[in-house]
Amino acid sequence: MTDRGPQALDVLDDAGRKLLFTEARTSNTFAETAVADDELAMIWELARWSPSAANCQPLRVLFVRTREGKERLVRHLDEGNRAKTLGAPAVAILAYDVDFHEQMPTVFPARGEMLRAAFADRTETRETLAAYNSALQTGVFLLAVRAAGLAAGPMAGFDKAGVDGEFFAGTSWQSHLVVNIGHPGADPWFPRLPRVPAEHAVAWA
């Protein structure tokens, strides 16, 4: 047996790999079962440990739970996304904070003040970094939804400017993904689509 060394990490078991990866699916319908606030809080508690450049953590989340909030949201969604969003117990609007640098003294104490000052007048650079790193964090957010025993339905089909005006006016947050969250409903899955074969996606050097 190969010696994994003194700092060897635990290996996710088969049930965990199925839950997070191999048997996880994007849900298109949701059961009426409510999603509690503490379940949504647990999703964030897991997702916030995602890696990000210089630990900048630009991802921000608005959880929409009320009928009124969903109705405000769906007017900005593509037609095909409206009914399933109204039927989802909870919805997360994922955004990135262009002013993430203001948090650098908190999230990177050793160099925080230097980084905050370095980014202060570089809005375009901050937007690029925020968009990329929030996308990285978003992947972990979706895994966190699955780890909480829930299904996610991510959607990019919406009017970004409309959502930002509706929910984030006067802030430095900018939306980039909408995620329906809940327990799968009737006929929730499309047929499983193939993955790119490893020989076309993986190289070795």
Side-chain angles (χ1 to χ4, degrees):
M1 185 175 180
T2 302
D3 182 2
R4 298 175 59 220
Q7 302 299 321
L9 301 175
D10 291 338
V11 177
L12 191 66
D13 64 17
D14 187 55
R17 291 193 293 270
K18 288 179 178 179
L19 177 68
L20 298 182
F21 300 102
T22 59
E23 293 188 4
R25 306 294 303 279
T26 293
S27 188
N28 293 288
T29 67
F30 293 89
E32 294 182 0
T33 306
V35 174
D37 286 357
D38 60 354
E39 292 179 285
L40 298 176
M42 179 171 64
I43 291 169
W44 177 248
E45 283 302 309
L46 294 173
R48 71 192 187 100
W49 298 103
S50 169
S52 57
N55 203 35
C56 64
Q57 303 176 49
L59 183 69
R60 304 291 183 263
V61 182
L62 172 64
F63 287 115
V64 182
R65 302 160 301 158
T66 66
R67 180 74 183 188
E68 177 202 10
K70 293 173 195 172
E71 288 175 348
R72 289 173 58 199
L73 174 60
V74 297
R75 69 182 64 148
H76 304 291
L77 302 184
D78 291 356
E79 182 67 37
N81 292 330
R82 294 175 183 175
K84 56 188 175 183
T85 298
L86 287 173
V91 186
I93 303 175
L94 303 189
Y96 55 81
D97 188 354
V98 176
D99 289 344
F100 68 86
H101 65 300
E102 296 293 350
Q103 296 295 325
M104 293 309 299
T106 298
V107 300
F108 202 148
R111 300 180 182 177
E113 292 296 346
M114 178 195 72
L115 289 167
R116 178 163 64 180
F119 284 124
D121 297 323
R122 301 171 64 189
T123 304
E124 186 174 342
T125 298
R126 294 202 316 269
E127 289 180 349
T128 300
L129 284 170
Y132 177 83
N133 284 281
S134 65
L136 176 64
Q137 291 183 276
T138 293
V140 177
F141 181 91
L142 297 177
L143 292 177
V145 173
R146 296 170 177 178
L150 298 164
M155 303 173 297
F158 64 96
D159 176 9
K160 183 177 181 295
V163 169
D164 291 350
E166 187 75 41
F167 293 97
F168 303 139
T171 78
S172 54
W173 294 18
Q174 297 184 22
S175 59
H176 77 102
L177 195 71
V178 174
V179 183
N180 292 330
I181 299 172
H183 296 277
D187 299 321
W189 325 121
F190 294 139
R192 171 72 90 179
L193 295 172
R195 267 37 189 176
V196 176
E199 59 267 27
H200 296 299
V202 180
W204 302 87

